[in-house]
Amino acid sequence: SEVSMEAKGLKFNNPEEFGGDPLLEFKEIKFDYGKTMADGGVHFRQVRMDIQRVNIVRNKKGLWLTDLMGEAQKKVQKIQNSKDTPAIDDLKITIAEISFQDLAGNGPPKVVKVGKTITANDPKNPRAYGLSVILQLAGIVYEAKKKSGF
């Protein structure tokens, strides 16, 4: 029998050195489980993430959280085809808005409405989405950051 899981209103926080406030504020997340992979790894037929806001912070040392994207990319490439990476046949992430805040200054966050969607849909290679998702996200953040004036 098929199992699915749903969560509404979840928040994932920024690391402490980036203020510790929410990084991701989800409206809703939904996972539909598929059959376990031959190597025992987790498999989702469908994953939907509806993100209300991504909060991107520049810490007091002047480092943007997004400056760490390169590191994330390396990690993803390392585990991309291992069973540690959940297999996802059909992934869709929507992002309503992105906010930028400089912790060194006292100004309020600048919120940019983006309304963008990130997709990855390759059931033949269901663990290969990591890099594509990071690159799509990086593009969306880059555009929004330009609009924000930062």
Side-chain angles (χ1 to χ4, degrees), residues 30-66:
K30 189 170 190 269
F31 298 97
D32 290 332
Y33 284 88
K35 283 221 299 257
T36 304
M37 298 295 279
D39 62 12
V42 178
H43 176 217
F44 299 104
R45 277 185 319 101
Q46 195 178 65
V47 174
R48 295 287 177 262
M49 295 183 188
D50 190 353
I51 302 172
Q52 177 55 44
R53 184 181 283 185
V54 179
N55 297 298
I56 296 177
V57 173
R58 179 158 50 188
N59 69 12
K60 292 192 165 77
K61 293 180 189 153
L63 190 71
W64 286 100
L65 182 64
T66 45

Side-chain angles (χ1 to χ4, degrees), residues 111-149:
V111 179
V112 179
K113 300 245 181 280
V114 290
K116 297 278 186 194
T117 301
I118 293 172
T119 56
N121 188 324
D122 185 0
K124 285 194 175 73
N125 197 354
R127 286 182 171 137
Y129 56 85
L131 210 53
S132 160
V133 167
I134 284 180
L135 294 173
Q136 290 179 70
L137 178 62
I140 292 168
V141 168
Y142 176 76
E143 285 300 313
K145 197 166 166 190
K146 280 201 310 205
K147 283 186 190 151
S148 78

Side-chain angles (χ1 to χ4, degrees), residues 1-18:
S1 70
E2 290 183 5
V3 178
S4 67
M5 204 169 64
E6 250 177 272
K8 291 183 194 303
L10 271 187
K11 290 183 179 169
F12 287 118
N13 289 339
N14 270 304
E16 216 36 65
E17 65 271 28
F18 289 92

Side-chain angles (χ1 to χ4, degrees), residues 20-31:
D21 287 330
L23 164 62
L24 297 173
E25 298 176 37
F26 291 93
K27 274 193 247 181
E28 185 175 22
I29 304 181
K30 189 170 190 269
F31 298 97

Side-chain angles (χ1 to χ4, degrees), residues 68-85:
L68 307 175
M69 281 277 218
E71 284 303 301
Q73 211 167 311
K74 278 184 206 134
K75 281 186 186 143
V76 161
Q77 276 171 311
K78 231 178 249 164
I79 65 162
Q80 181 147 286
N81 290 309
S82 81
K83 72 175 198 174
D84 297 333
T85 299

